[in-house]
Amino acid sequence: MIATPQSPVKFNPFAPGFREDPYTTYQGLRQQNPIHNTLDMWVMTKYQDIIQVLNSDAVSVNYIPQYVVQQKVGDIPGLVELGQKAIVFTDPPDHARLRRLAGQAFSNTNINAHTAHVQQLIAELVAPKIPEESFDFAQIAHQIPLYTLSHLLGIPQEYIKTIDEYIHRVRSILEPSLLTKMRIRRIEQDLQSCLAIFQEIIDYRKTHLGDDLLSKLIQARVGEDRLSDSELGIACVMTYVAGHETSKGLLTNGVLAFMQHPEQWQIFREGKATSKQVINEILRFDPPLQQTVRLAVSDLQVGSHNIRKGEKMLLCLASANRDEDRFDNADTFDITRDAAAQIAFGHGIHNCLGQTIARLEGQLLFTYLCEHVREMKFGANDYRWHPEGFITRTLTYLPVSFIPASYVSSTDMKNPSPNLSPTGGEALKI
């Protein structure tokens, strides 16, 4: 993109080629127009500016629910309640209360207790594909978080496919630019159907508690306070909404980065970087969550710009992660760097509560591939990014060919552990 001093680069996610390469635009914005008003919002692209906003008490996360209500599409009680009770959409003090309760279930200890299951799940899904000449890794990347989240929540197998279909459509709530009135009405229908399923499971779990996160959410207490049934159902919905597509993006974007930078794969296989470093660098280099939205609830100043109460801000997290003032050689994929300061999961009080799950999936997948795959190559010349939206960046098609490590036999890969079935909890007898 060529820009003159009279026509600086502006954020335009609908421009040809942006979906395939947003980073050239981000670089131009950081250099020429790091904070500007376009598309009825303030677009911010520098690391320090975005950190300031994410730490500010002058902003709200409730923009998307407000936008939905403002569309005046009729009776949408489910979406209204989602905006009031989902951690990702609530401001203090409601946010602090919900996070204290949900945080008891989504602790590192509770999640990491399921490590062995996720390891086995990955082996079950990936091992049979390694001997194939080419396969679509995006399909595997879809299944890993779907089955992981279902297992963690204790969702019975018979519900998983239906929940996945509903959540696929409900997830578009995160892309406000796509929310037509007709689409909002469809999301409301799917949300209500999904909540009905979760309520059935919640009713059963109350008398059949287990080690799953839903059981721990039911048992969570702060004094006499606990999560209501509707809050429990919304927590289940948002675990999938916020945790599935982003985890899928972490896995696909990571495999793509390694195929484009094969020398980094060899560095990993030689033990010169940890799996934690790998995940942090993937999240920094090509994060699945590209932007987040905030609404000013009082005036604030960012840099030399005055943001007025009621104005929207689009914070380009992916651009911040490539900010040359924060990360040396920011456009270089380097798994040996310290990328812990990346903000792919947000920052401040609204940093992602479920990021431990995504990190677990990512570290276990790339550790498994490191042990079993010598090289990762493109299985075909084309790969495809998700065709809709710009808040998230994930691949819908990624043909790959895994060249197995010499010490792993094809028989071993075709016959992984027979004990795992990639499902959720036991069948409910209700």
Side-chain angles (χ1 to χ4, degrees), residues 185-221:
R185 283 193 287 268
R186 179 59 191 270
I187 292 172
E188 170 71 13
Q189 294 171 3
D190 289 328
L191 175 61
Q192 293 285 14
S193 298
C194 201
L195 287 170
I197 291 175
F198 284 126
Q199 187 58 57
E200 189 175 348
I201 299 171
I202 289 165
D203 290 341
Y204 178 83
R205 277 280 168 257
K206 286 181 177 179
T207 56
H208 298 79
L209 295 172
D211 292 330
D212 55 273
L213 299 190
L214 177 53
S215 293
K216 295 185 184 302
L217 284 170
I218 291 170
Q219 298 174 84
R221 296 289 186 278

Side-chain angles (χ1 to χ4, degrees), residues 135-155:
F135 70 97
D136 180 11
F137 180 77
Q139 293 184 6
I140 301 297
H142 179 91
Q143 292 173 306
I144 290 173
L146 173 64
Y147 292 135
T148 295
L149 294 173
S150 298
H151 167 76
L152 288 173
L153 288 171
I155 303 302

Side-chain angles (χ1 to χ4, degrees), residues 65-80 173 179-189:
Q66 289 187 38
Y67 176 91
V68 170
V69 172
Q70 290 167 1
Q71 298 307 298
K72 299 179 181 178
V73 296
D75 191 22
I76 48 171
L79 286 171
V80 169
I173 190 72
L179 295 180
T180 63
K181 292 184 178 181
M182 181 178 296
R183 195 160 194 170
I184 290 172
R185 283 193 287 268
R186 179 59 191 270
I187 292 172
E188 170 71 13
Q189 294 171 3

Side-chain angles (χ1 to χ4, degrees), residues 205-241:
R205 277 280 168 257
K206 286 181 177 179
T207 56
H208 298 79
L209 295 172
D211 292 330
D212 55 273
L213 299 190
L214 177 53
S215 293
K216 295 185 184 302
L217 284 170
I218 291 170
Q219 298 174 84
R221 296 289 186 278
V222 175
E224 296 298 316
D225 191 21
R226 63 180 181 84
L227 295 171
S228 66
D229 281 6
S230 61
E231 289 169 340
L232 289 168
I234 287 171
C236 290
V237 168
M238 291 309 299
T239 297
Y240 283 98
V241 167

